[in-house]
């Protein structure tokens, strides 16, 4: 039985082109990951706050190099895409933004991000997320982006609001953290917001 609509993001939307470098317009650059980023990512994951809100720990730079290889390959799968967030002037790693769970049929994806400890409080997560959302919704052709965070992660809630992701509700017991199942807020932006 044929579908009455085609995919919002046809096959080859991502895999058919190089992963873009996305300028934020305010001093940040979203660029593909490089193997040379491993020491900075490893250092970022030694921060206890990363352990509070993220589900992975980094035991070595070699392990992180493996993550980076995965992140580099995800663009071609068209299911996920990851960018290093760097200072546009000196290429210093400030964080990461990503589109997870890309659904090409419906043109949807889930935004994720983290920042290194030294970059917190400077608007890096919000600026990078805004740049990614602008690219995804205005250039790449996504229809909807979702952003979820644990209810206790108030900083992420502020980022979502600052970037225009409307709060749509609470997903009960949605994510298992080290201290148990957590409820999460669901925020979203759609084309035209």
């Amino acid at each position: 039985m044929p579908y009455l609509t085609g995919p919002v993001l046809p096959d080859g939307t991502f895999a058919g082109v190089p992963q873009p470098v996305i300028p934020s317009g305010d001093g940040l650059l979203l660029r593909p990951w490089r193997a040379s980023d491993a020491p900075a990512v490893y250092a970022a994951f030694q921060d206890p706050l990363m352990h509070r809100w993220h589900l992975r720990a980094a035991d070595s730079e070699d392990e992180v190099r493996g993550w980076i290889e995965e992140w580099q390959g995800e663009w071609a799968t068209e299911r996920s895409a990851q960018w290093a967030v760097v200072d546009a002037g000196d290429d210093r790693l400030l964080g990461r933004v990503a589109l997870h769970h890309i659904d090409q049929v419906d043109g949807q994806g889930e935004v994720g991000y983290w920042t290194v400890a030294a970059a917190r409080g400077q608007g890096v997560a919000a600026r990078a997320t805004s740049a990614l959302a602008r690219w995804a919704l205005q250039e790449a052709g996504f229809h909807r982006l979702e952003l979820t965070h644990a209810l206790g992660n108030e900083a992420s809630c502020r980022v979502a609001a600052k970037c225009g992701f409307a709060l749509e509700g609470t997903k009960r017991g949605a994510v298992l953290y080290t201290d148990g199942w957590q409820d999460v807020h669901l925020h979203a932006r759609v084309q035209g917001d």
Side-chain angles (χ1 to χ4, degrees):
M1 179 178 350
Y3 288 97
L4 298 176
T5 61
V8 174
L9 301 168
D11 286 344
T13 297
F14 308 110
V17 298
Q19 184 175 356
V21 173
I22 304 169
S24 69
D26 60 4
L28 301 179
L29 205 58
L30 284 54
R31 64 156 171 79
W33 287 97
R34 302 175 185 150
S36 60
D37 294 322
V41 174
Y42 174 74
F45 272 80
Q46 303 317 298
D47 175 12
L49 190 57
M50 291 291 272
H51 300 177
R52 174 67 184 108
W53 301 120
H54 294 83
L55 303 177
R56 289 180 104 170
D59 292 330
S60 70
E61 286 183 21
D62 284 340
E63 179 182 9
V64 170
R65 275 189 273 285
W67 297 357
I68 290 172
E69 287 177 18
E70 290 173 22
W71 297 342
Q72 290 169 326
E74 287 177 351
W75 181 258
T77 71
E78 299 193 315
R79 291 188 185 96
S80 185
Q82 311 256 353
W83 284 265
V85 178
V86 299
D87 183 286
D90 63 12
D91 200 49
R92 179 174 34 98
L93 183 69
L94 302 173
R96 179 210 76 170
V97 291
L99 287 171
H100 301 290
H101 313 294
I102 294 173
D103 176 345
Q104 291 178 255
V105 172
D106 292 326
Q108 299 183 20
E110 183 178 335
V111 175
Y113 51 83
W114 51 257
T115 57
V116 302
R120 292 193 193 117
Q122 300 173 29
V124 170
R127 291 160 42 213
T129 299
S130 291
L132 179 60
R134 193 169 37 254
W135 172 82
L137 295 168
Q138 296 175 10
E139 295 180 37
F142 280 81
H143 171 70
R144 176 182 169 88
L145 300 178
E146 294 185 349
L147 188 161
T148 61
H149 63 82
L151 262 57
N153 191 342
E154 294 174 8
S156 278
C157 201
R158 288 190 300 272
V159 168
K162 187 180 267 190
C163 297
F165 283 76
L167 177 60
E168 293 187 339
T170 301
K171 295 169 66 174
R172 296 177 302 126
V175 179
L176 180 60
Y177 287 93
T178 56
D179 60 350
W181 289 99
Q182 298 287 322
D183 294 350
V184 300
H185 273 165
L186 170 64
H187 299 261
R189 274 184 66 174
V190 297
Q191 269 190 8
D193 279 354

